């Protein structure tokens, strides 16, 4: 069986987060991650690369996608949430290094956000048939 490829292209980065466009077989959405902070746990997005992703169980999110074998990191999920700012600079985050999916980019309380996140996660998981896939993260604005 061929594992599907999902491509996440990072298009913008600031202290309020890293925006990406996500293209999967038959589905597309937006993503928001933490800014790049040298792959530090809980402070940084993960390095661009190709990762295996599987459905696993999370206490908080129940059945959810987990990004596997991220160098120097663990417990990287693709889950719902709206904000992914640098907390050391006073921004709010719903990510501890995970990837947040949403339908649109927007703002919440003056901070960059992804919107309609819970519905987007449900739709994405359904579109992927809850199957494993490979996630390719690309930097459209140059490397880290």
């Amino acid at each position: 069986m061929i594992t599907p490829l999902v491509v996440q292209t990072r298009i913008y980065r600031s202290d309020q987060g890293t925006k990406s466009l996500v293209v999967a077989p038959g589905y597309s959405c937006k993503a928001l991650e933490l800014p790049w902070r040298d792959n530090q746990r809980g402070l940084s997005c993960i390095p661009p690369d190709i990762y295996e992703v599987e459905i696993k169980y999370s206490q908080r999110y129940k059945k959810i996608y987990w990004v596997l074998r991220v160098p120097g990191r663990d417990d990287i999920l693709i889950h719902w949430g709206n904000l992914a700012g640098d907390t050391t600079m006073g921004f709010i985050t719903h990510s501890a290094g995970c990837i947040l999916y949403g339908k649109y980019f927007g703002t919440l309380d003056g901070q960059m956000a992804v919107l309609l996140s819970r519905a987007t996660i449900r739709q994405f998981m359904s579109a992927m048939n809850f199957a494993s896939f490979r996630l390719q993260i690309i930097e459209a604005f140059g490397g880290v």
Side-chain angles (χ1 to χ4, degrees):
M1 183 172 129
I2 297 174
T3 306
L5 178 67
V6 174
V7 178
Q8 180 178 320
T9 305
R10 292 177 176 157
I11 58 170
Y12 178 79
R13 179 180 294 140
S14 78
D15 294 332
Q16 294 184 30
T18 302
K19 288 182 176 180
S20 299
L21 304 175
V22 178
V23 178
Y27 192 80
S28 64
C29 64
K30 312 295 191 258
L32 190 64
E33 302 170 85
L34 292 170
W36 177 250
R37 300 294 186 254
D38 297 318
N39 199 31
Q40 293 179 70
R41 281 179 194 267
L43 295 176
S44 180
C45 59
I46 62 177
D49 205 341
I50 298 176
Y51 299 99
E52 297 297 321
V53 180
E54 295 179 353
I55 288 276
K56 291 190 177 184
Y57 182 82
S58 155
Q59 185 92 15
R60 179 172 185 183
Y61 300 103
K62 309 305 178 215
K63 285 174 91 174
I64 201 74
Y65 278 117
W66 292 63
V67 183
L68 306 177
R69 292 179 282 288
V70 177
R73 306 275 292 276
D74 53 16
D75 295 329
I76 305 296
L77 286 68
I78 298 173
H79 64 79
W80 62 81
N82 304 107
L83 305 169
D86 185 333
T87 57
T88 68
M89 301 188 82
F91 293 106
I92 299 168
T93 189
H94 299 144
S95 170
C98 299
I99 304 168
L100 310 176
Y101 279 8
K103 177 88 171 155
Y104 308 105
F105 292 123
T107 57
L108 288 174
D109 297 325
Q111 187 174 320
M112 187 168 67
V114 286
L115 307 174
L116 298 177
S117 188
R118 283 181 195 253
T120 300
I121 287 291
R122 285 192 297 269
Q123 292 165 0
F124 175 77
M125 292 174 74
S126 179
M128 296 302 293
N129 294 314
F130 298 86
S132 299
F133 62 91
R134 290 173 300 132
L135 175 66
Q136 181 176 19
I137 299 178
I138 298 169
E139 306 254 324
F141 46 76
V144 286

